[in-house]
Amino acid sequence: MHLGLIGGIGVAATVVYYQRLTNAVGGACDLTIDHADVQTLIRNNLADKRAEQAQVYARHIDRLARAGCDAVAITSLGGHFCYDETAALSPLPLISAVAPLDAHFREQGLKRIGLLGTRVVMRTRLYGQLERTEAVALDDETEELGQLYQDMAVAGVCTPAQRRVFLDAGRRMVEDQGAEAIVLAGTDLNLAFDGQDPGYRVIDALDVHVAELADLLTGRKTLSA
């Protein structure tokens, strides 16, 4: 398969997708990245302009299709807020980062998970797509945490102060809300959590998506499977 990635939303997320995908594949693969604008995504996400962002994605997907790609993925969980609208316009199959998560949590025996990510991801509990796993979030702090995440994603770096806030938010969901694991439901959260030992279980949603993409790139799975 020739896989297309919509990148740039943000740059750090694109880099980690590329690194982890190539590591998972372990060799040559057909991969093309088209660079999108994170500020456009942020504006449309905050205003819930799904149709407008889907049109933006459609232009990137058209370029990826003309580059010979067979399927495409969006390198941002927050960027999935207009997934259905984008799929309706896309000339290529979209490979969701959200769809595999519910099954993954079930396979891991998790009944309750805590979410960190964008405002919309936390507020909608991963767009309401978790059917077999209960999700919790710090609802009174969604705006603050969402803004902190946005600032980190745009900058492409995580400050020590930002890291402390994210690690503490995860701890409180575990201790106060009974979360069995904290899910990094924002692609750039690896900037805060990589190399850390927060004292609780962490699942990076990016890794679940990458595993799915790697299986497709290597032929271990097909789009119809």
Side-chain angles (χ1 to χ4, degrees):
M1 172 184 286
H2 183 174
L3 176 65
L5 298 179
I6 299 177
I9 46 178
V11 170
T14 309
V15 170
V16 76
Y17 257 92
Y18 179 68
Q19 289 174 329
R20 296 188 190 182
L21 253 179
T22 52
N23 286 339
V25 170
C29 61
D30 293 324
L31 182 66
T32 300
I33 302 173
D34 197 52
H35 185 82
D37 177 49
V38 68
Q39 294 296 342
T40 299
L41 172 61
I42 289 170
R43 287 194 298 271
N44 287 333
N45 182 279
L46 292 178
D48 198 29
K49 293 185 175 181
R50 303 181 190 186
E52 288 84 348
Q53 185 62 38
Q55 289 286 348
V56 172
Y57 283 154
R59 292 193 290 273
H60 291 287
I61 296 170
D62 181 64
R63 285 200 289 267
L64 291 167
R66 286 187 279 116
C69 294
D70 302 304
V72 65
I74 297 168
T75 61
S76 163
L77 270 169
H80 278 61
F81 80 105
C82 59
Y83 184 88
D84 290 341
E85 291 81 1
T86 304
L89 298 176
S90 177
L92 298 175
L94 284 184
I95 305 166
S96 173
V98 178
L101 289 174
D102 203 23
H104 178 78
F105 300 149
R106 183 77 170 196
E107 289 168 3
Q108 295 295 308
L110 297 172
K111 297 179 180 179
R112 176 178 288 190
I113 54 96
L115 292 175
L116 287 173
T118 67
R119 298 167 175 86
V120 177
V121 163
M122 292 185 288
R123 187 169 60 244
T124 63
R125 303 297 196 264
L126 266 174
Y127 310 112
Q129 292 189 32
L130 297 182
E131 297 179 357
R132 294 175 288 182
T133 308
E134 181 185 4
V136 298
L138 298 175
D139 292 322
D140 292 341
E141 301 171 45
T142 295
E143 183 64 29
E144 175 190 347
L145 289 169
Q147 184 62 51
L148 198 69
Y149 175 78
Q150 179 180 308
D151 293 343
M152 180 185 67
V154 172
V157 295
C158 182
T159 68
Q162 290 171 328
R163 178 174 292 110
R164 285 192 295 272
V165 172
F166 287 127
L167 294 178
D168 179 67
R171 178 189 59 77
R172 287 186 285 125
M173 280 187 277
V174 170
E175 294 180 357
D176 301 338
Q177 296 181 291
E180 298 166 279
I182 298 303
V183 177
L184 307 186
T187 317
D188 299 271
L189 280 165
N190 66 91
L191 293 169
F193 280 82
D194 278 3
Q196 304 300 309
D197 181 9
Y200 48 80
R201 185 175 181 183
V202 175
I203 295 175
D204 194 340
L206 186 153
D207 287 332
V208 179
H209 197 204
V210 163
E212 185 88 356
L213 298 176
D215 282 347
L216 291 167
L217 274 170
T218 57
R220 293 190 292 264
K221 279 187 178 180
T222 64
L223 288 172
S224 58

